[in-house]
Amino acid sequence: MVDKAKYIWLDGKLVPWDQAQVHILTHTLHYGLGVFEGIRAYQGHDGRTAIFRLPEHIRRLFDSAHIMQLEIPFAPAAIQQACIDTMRQNEQKEAYLRPLVFIGDGAMGLHPQNNPIRVAIITWVWGAYLGDEGLQKGIRLKTSSHTRHHVNVMMTSAKVVGNYVNSILAKREVTRAGYDEALLLDPTGYVAEASGENVFLVKDGVIKTPPLTTILPGITRDCIFTIAGDLGLPIQEVSIARDELYIADEVFLTGTAAEITPVRELDDRTIGTGSPGPVTKKLQEVYFAAVKGENPKYASWLTYI
Ligand code: PPE
């Protein structure tokens, strides 16, 4: 259960949490066309709170809206400021921020012409997405029988509300079978991404991840490229088959919510030693220092509130 914060930003105004309501004819509720973001804000060692990679997330929100032909009635700078204002007014030191662009009520049917395009920003406190133990010891991943969308089916570069039905199907399937998270393959059978994370492997010192074909262009994924470059670790975008993951030295998942979560098992095969490997641990260390403002090299990733 999400703990209530004081306010939700809705269409330009901060409204009390319980009053942020919509009509049942809200178009997105019926047909799933909306776009959203997931952003984290962390408290640094000096007590200050910073939103992590805010401009990049807002840019992706506008890219998603552009792909889906939704005209957001605010400028990117205004949405960024709204994220800051909501955090400030909610007085949260750490939070997950959820900007959501949706089609409001008005016409029904598949060609809504004049329905308002509405924007909400919600902030709530969210702990380790795949559990504290998962973050430390690694999770058990299972390949789902559900395939990730083909780009001509759902537009996978956009973070679309309806895309997540596919993720939920996969997640349900594997959690009911006792696993922690689902891996989805793309329509050609190669590794795509997990239900809410990008996937990486480490083999003989080289980091590999699938190219941006049928996956969300993750912002945490982008951090891994920068951090690996700074650490002098080779990193490649290549097609990966599931059995390459089975024999990798290390596998890990990345996402705003999941951060950097090690994978200790995939499809009942132990990955590497079965414990988080040195590359995963190093990347976690640098990433967590970056989000908390402890590494000046990554100061440009932080927007202090
Ligand atoms: N792939 C998918 C399908 C995905 O949903 C996410 C984020 C990523 C990759 C990683 O993207 P990024 O956060 O920019 O590194 N998934 C969100 C899940 C939230 C939810 O369950 O709700 C997130 O991490 O915010």
Side-chain angles (χ1 to χ4, degrees):
M1 201 57 179
V2 168
D3 284 332
K4 286 183 194 179
K6 286 186 187 164
Y7 300 104
I8 288 174
W9 190 93
L10 187 60
D11 303 322
K13 286 199 287 278
L14 282 165
V15 299
W17 181 278
D18 286 328
Q19 288 172 29
Q21 297 190 358
V22 296
H23 195 273
I24 200 69
L25 286 185
T26 295
H27 195 273
T28 303
L29 203 52
H30 295 254
Y31 305 111
L33 179 58
V35 296
F36 68 104
E37 268 307 315
I39 314 171
R40 274 190 191 271
Y42 293 89
Q43 184 174 29
H45 59 299
D46 59 2
R48 292 193 299 158
T49 295
I51 305 177
F52 190 63
R53 305 204 69 177
L54 178 62
E56 292 87 346
H57 279 283
I58 300 307
R59 181 169 172 197
R60 189 173 66 185
L61 182 72
F62 278 77
D63 284 348
S64 295
H66 176 72
I67 291 171
M68 303 317 291
Q69 297 179 296
L70 294 173
E71 207 153 311
I72 301 179
F74 297 93
I79 300 295
Q80 277 190 48
Q81 189 57 47
C83 288
I84 296 168
D85 293 345
T86 311
M87 281 298 297
R88 277 192 193 143
Q89 294 301 321
N90 282 336
E91 295 172 15
Q92 288 156 322
K93 288 292 182 190
E94 297 209 327
Y96 182 85
L97 292 80
R98 166 57 50 82
L100 171 68
V101 175
F102 61 104
I103 307 178
D105 55 296
M108 293 300 280
L110 302 185
H111 192 45
Q113 299 266 42
N114 299 314
N115 295 29
I117 304 302
R118 307 189 58 184
V119 187
I121 299 167
I122 310 110
T123 70
W124 68 84
V125 178
W126 221 3
Y129 187 64
L130 295 169
D132 288 320
E133 199 185 314
L135 211 50
Q136 277 160 31
K137 297 190 177 157
I139 57 139
R140 297 176 62 234
L141 187 65
K142 169 83 179 152
T143 306
S144 171
S145 68
H146 297 283
T147 301
R148 197 68 181 138
H149 301 293
H150 185 280
V151 66
N152 290 342
V153 176
M154 284 296 269
M155 309 268 175
T156 48
S157 296
K159 201 166 165 67
V160 178
V161 173
N163 285 4
Y164 283 80
V165 176
N166 175 247
S167 288
I168 291 173
L169 284 172
K171 180 90 183 184
R172 283 208 169 141
E173 178 185 40
V174 307
T175 50
R176 285 183 186 191
Y179 299 87
D180 301 312
E181 179 55 305
L183 176 70
L184 291 103
L185 306 178
D186 71 20
T188 64
Y190 286 94
V191 172
E193 59 189 334
S195 76
E197 303 88 14
N198 292 119
V199 184
F200 288 81
L201 70 77
V202 184
K203 180 79 174 176
D204 298 330
V206 181
I207 305 171
K208 296 183 184 179
T209 197
L212 296 176
T213 46
T214 61
I215 62 172
L216 189 75
I219 289 165
T220 322
R221 178 185 183 278
D222 179 73
C223 294
I224 297 294
F225 277 84
T226 303
I227 295 171
D230 291 345
L231 293 172
L233 299 169
I235 182 160
Q236 300 173 354
E237 280 180 296
V238 282
S239 290
I240 296 171
R242 65 198 277 184
D243 57 0
E244 277 183 81
L245 291 176
Y246 297 159
I247 56 170
D249 301 325
E250 304 177 34
V251 173
F252 60 89
L253 306 179
T254 65
T256 299
E259 300 163 314
I260 299 173
T261 299
V263 174
R264 65 182 158 90
E265 198 186 294
L266 170 61
D267 298 340
D268 305 311
R269 278 92 167 165
T270 300
I271 304 297
T273 61
S275 306
V279 175
T280 307
K281 288 209 284 206
K282 184 70 195 168
L283 291 169
Q284 279 184 322
E285 183 193 312
V286 177
Y287 182 77
F288 284 116
V291 301
K292 289 179 179 290
E294 289 163 14
N295 189 336
K297 201 185 274 179
Y298 306 113
S300 66
W301 285 348
L302 304 177
T303 302
Y304 285 94
I305 66 163

